[in-house]
Amino acid sequence: MNQKEIKALISLLDDEDHEVSQHVEGKILSLGGTVIPFLETEWEESFNPIVQRKIEELIHELQLSIMIERLQAWKNGGGLDLLEGMWIIATYHYPDLSIEKLKTTIEQLYYDIWIQFQEEMNAVDQVKRINSIFFGVMNFAANTKNFHSPTNSMINSVLESRRGNPITLCVIYLLIARKLGMPVYGVNLPNLFVLTYKSDKTQFYINVFNRGIIFSKTDIDHYIAQLNIKSKDIFYQPCTNLEIVQRVLRNLILSYEKTSEQDKIREIEKILKSTLDELPES
């Protein structure tokens, strides 16, 4: 469709006949994300609050579809780039966010640590060196004041404020450690996300939410015992990038449950569902 035809469609959004306006909305949505710039222009030029509201809803619906398509493509490609997965999630709040900007920020953090990093150090000393810079000079810390804020799950917000929840802080720490060549991975503990340093000879754990404190498998044993739940292998071993992204989405659902934002809960549940493998029919 050309611009004139799209303009004509948009003018029917406030048609008194509900069937007509619904048909128009469906037609606009079928055009996909390429129609968003036209909708934004029409919103700016419109003086009709009903049309403006409907345009806003259509843009949001289209952006949501784009996000789900990106996430499914990322997953189907093996979910290899964790930063890309986190960027896709952040576009839920920040549709115009540039992944290049995120890459540049992470690259700068990595460089600032790399110039003070010594590969010949043993694993524990390497982690302690990262900790001293990450939590010291860089001032990253747990966002305990607003723990349930949705922005804690948005990597761009955490990079800017230097405050986040366990999983987003872990992701930033992990991305830097990986660039430094360290075998660091995420671990899905109940109620807490941590990292593990795991090589052929060494394995220990890092609690990034608690300023990078190092702990052992025995500490996890005690933690699981305190929670009075059955021990599972996933509480000790590395998880996948897809599992990290899924946990971030579950955190977002919890955030919106705290503020009773039902529409957002439904949308994030829809996004999460798009990342889950279909269950075989019984």
Side-chain angles (χ1 to χ4, degrees):
M1 293 185 83
N2 61 37
Q3 195 168 346
K4 196 175 179 182
E5 289 169 324
I6 294 169
K7 203 176 179 76
L9 264 182
I10 293 168
S11 69
L12 294 170
L13 279 173
D14 67 337
D15 196 285
E16 289 177 7
D17 187 329
H18 183 62
E19 278 191 26
V20 171
S21 62
Q22 265 202 323
H23 175 74
V24 168
E25 285 173 30
K27 183 71 178 170
I28 291 171
L29 289 173
S30 73
L31 297 172
T34 53
V35 79
I36 290 175
F38 296 110
L39 290 171
E40 288 173 337
T41 301
E42 289 302 314
W43 185 92
E44 288 169 4
E45 293 175 358
S46 175
F47 295 99
N48 185 329
I50 296 168
V51 171
Q52 283 188 321
R53 181 178 55 79
K54 287 196 173 184
I55 289 173
E56 286 166 12
E57 289 169 358
L58 287 167
I59 290 172
H60 181 68
E61 193 68 33
L62 288 164
Q63 287 169 338
L64 192 63
S65 297
I66 290 168
M67 183 185 171
I68 289 171
E69 284 169 18
R70 279 177 179 158
L71 205 51
Q72 286 181 317
W74 176 80
K75 177 200 165 191
N76 294 336
L80 302 177
D81 185 346
L82 179 56
L83 182 59
E84 184 185 351
M86 294 297 289
W87 163 69
I88 295 167
I89 291 175
T91 60
Y92 180 72
H93 268 200
Y94 307 95
D96 299 325
L97 179 65
S98 157
I99 190 169
E100 295 307 320
K101 185 182 177 187
L102 292 180
K103 285 179 179 175
T104 302
T105 306
I106 295 289
E107 191 68 33
Q108 186 61 52
L109 293 174
Y110 151 72
Y111 178 75
D112 290 345
I113 290 177
W114 173 78
I115 54 174
Q116 298 185 57
F117 194 74
Q118 292 170 329
E119 289 180 15
E120 62 272 16
M121 288 175 171
N122 65 48
V124 169
D125 286 341
Q126 285 182 339
V127 169
K128 285 180 178 176
R129 176 60 58 87
I130 293 176
N131 288 347
S132 68
I133 304 166
F134 191 79
F135 301 107
V137 180
M138 292 176 175
N139 196 30
F140 279 96
N143 190 346
T144 49
K145 285 184 182 176
N146 299 298
F147 184 79
H148 293 290
S149 169
T151 56
N152 287 330
S153 295
M154 305 289 159
I155 191 168
N156 58 314
S157 294
V158 178
L159 284 167
E160 196 172 312
S161 69
R162 304 289 167 105
R163 296 292 179 272
N165 59 19
I167 194 162
T168 313
L169 288 172
C170 275
V171 166
I172 295 167
Y173 192 109
L174 183 157
L175 289 168
I176 295 167
R178 283 289 190 75
K179 278 183 168 289
L180 290 165
M182 296 167 67
V184 173
Y185 310 89
V187 177
N188 257 322
L189 272 179
N191 306 329
L192 180 65
F193 194 86
V194 297
L195 299 178
T196 182
Y197 181 105
K198 186 179 182 184
S199 66
D200 294 340
K201 298 174 183 176
T202 310
Q203 184 172 17
F204 57 85
Y205 301 87
I206 309 159
N207 185 348
V208 180
F209 199 63
N210 191 8
R211 297 184 66 82
I213 193 168
I214 293 169
F215 61 106
S216 67
K217 180 182 181 297
T218 307
D219 294 315
I220 295 182
D221 293 337
H222 293 160
Y223 177 73
I224 300 301
Q226 282 177 339
L227 292 175
N228 201 23
I229 57 176
K230 190 179 176 184
S231 185
K232 294 180 184 176
D233 195 42
I234 60 165
F235 300 157
Y236 302 89
Q237 298 305 330
C239 63
T240 65
N241 290 342
L242 177 60
E243 287 165 335
I244 292 174
V245 161
Q246 288 168 341
R247 181 146 180 175
V248 173
L249 290 168
R250 289 188 180 100
N251 277 356
L252 267 177
I253 291 169
L254 287 173
S255 295
Y256 292 128
E257 282 175 352
K258 294 286 179 186
T259 51
S260 301
E261 294 180 76
Q262 297 304 321
D263 288 347
K264 286 186 166 62
I265 292 168
R266 280 193 290 272
E267 286 177 350
I268 302 298
E269 283 175 343
K270 183 180 176 183
I271 295 163
L272 176 60
K273 192 177 177 186
S274 76
T275 71
L276 300 171
D277 291 323
E278 295 294 325
L279 294 172
E281 290 182 19
S282 54

